[in-house]
Each structure stands twice: as structure tokens, then as C-alpha cells.
Amino acid sequence: MTPDERVIFERRRRGRNIAILLVLIALCALFYFVGMARLLRGG
């Protein structure tokens, strides 16, 4: 793997990792708000 290919590979991997992180944060926020709504509603 040439140095240029390695830079491209690492940039793609970083972008994919950031996308996965954002999805996980969104899921955590969704579960948190659903749980809080259920607790406040008395469910």
C-alpha cells in the first residue's frame, strides 16, 4: 500500500467511524427520551 493509498484508507475509516458514532449517539438519545416519557407518563 502506497502512502497516498494509506491516507485515503485512513480518511475513509475515520469518516465511517464518525458516522457510526453519530448513529450510536442518536440511538442513545432516542432511548433516553422514550424512557423519560414513559417514566413521566407513569407507564
Side-chain angles (χ1 to χ4, degrees):
M1 183 178 286
T2 66
D4 290 337
E5 289 173 336
R6 184 150 186 83
V7 168
I8 292 170
F9 173 77
E10 289 176 356
R11 190 175 299 143
R12 279 191 196 142
R13 182 169 51 183
R14 192 174 307 121
R16 195 166 37 241
N17 287 346
I18 290 172
I20 291 170
L21 174 66
L22 292 176
V23 168
L24 286 173
I25 289 172
L27 280 173
C28 289
L30 176 69
F31 289 138
Y32 174 79
F33 287 119
V34 168
M36 290 307 288
R38 290 182 69 161
L39 281 174
L40 292 175
R41 196 171 47 123

